[in-house]
Amino acid sequence: MPQTLSLSEHYRKQLKQIAWRIQYRNKVRARSEQLSIHTWLETNEYHSFPAEEFDSLIAVQELIDSLPFAQGKQIIRGLYLDQQTEAQLAEQLQISQQAVNRWKRKSLQYLSQKISS
């Protein structure tokens, strides 16, 4: 019998796939432009941060920043980067938990379309 994922696990898996795709595209672009993230890291304050995690974090931040709606950015950051629950975000943003869920679905759908195009 196939294991069913909860809705939050499904979206977390989707976001990880999106982040992986962005990371892959960034690596290809960096290779073709012959950029070196290690040189950049040596000249900045992030030299103790692992380069692979730094690349992923930058890619995810760029993807989230590409969202055209501020509410969606806040919700995706809160859910996936800050590990908050929908209920916590709803209280913080003074909206219903269902509204948080709709914004999450709308934002993830937008990001998915952006990645696949």
Side-chain angles (χ1 to χ4, degrees), residues 85-88 90-91 95-102 104:
T85 65
E86 287 183 4
Q88 291 170 329
E91 185 177 322
I95 58 176
S96 69
Q97 183 269 327
Q98 291 83 3
V100 170
N101 187 278
R102 278 187 298 249
K104 175 181 72 174

Side-chain angles (χ1 to χ4, degrees), residues 7-83:
L7 195 54
S8 64
E9 291 171 333
H10 171 74
Y11 283 120
R12 182 169 292 168
K13 183 179 176 182
Q14 256 188 328
L15 189 59
K16 285 182 181 181
Q17 288 173 344
I18 290 168
W20 184 88
R21 288 182 194 135
I22 290 171
Q23 180 181 1
Y24 177 77
R25 287 181 183 176
N26 283 341
K27 284 182 180 181
V28 169
R29 185 176 354 139
R31 226 179 281 133
S32 68
E33 296 172 357
Q34 297 181 349
L35 295 176
S36 172
I37 189 71
H38 300 290
T39 304
W40 185 85
L41 288 170
E42 290 172 1
T43 60
N44 290 284
E45 63 188 19
Y46 302 102
H47 50 303
S48 63
F49 201 76
E52 296 81 25
E53 289 182 34
F54 188 76
D55 288 344
S56 296
L57 183 61
I58 288 175
V60 170
Q61 288 289 354
E62 286 175 355
L63 182 63
I64 292 172
D65 288 340
S66 75
L67 285 167
F69 19 84
Q71 193 87 349
K73 289 178 190 180
Q74 276 186 293
I75 289 171
I76 295 298
R77 275 197 185 98
L79 289 172
Y80 296 104
L81 298 180
D82 301 337
Q83 298 293 315

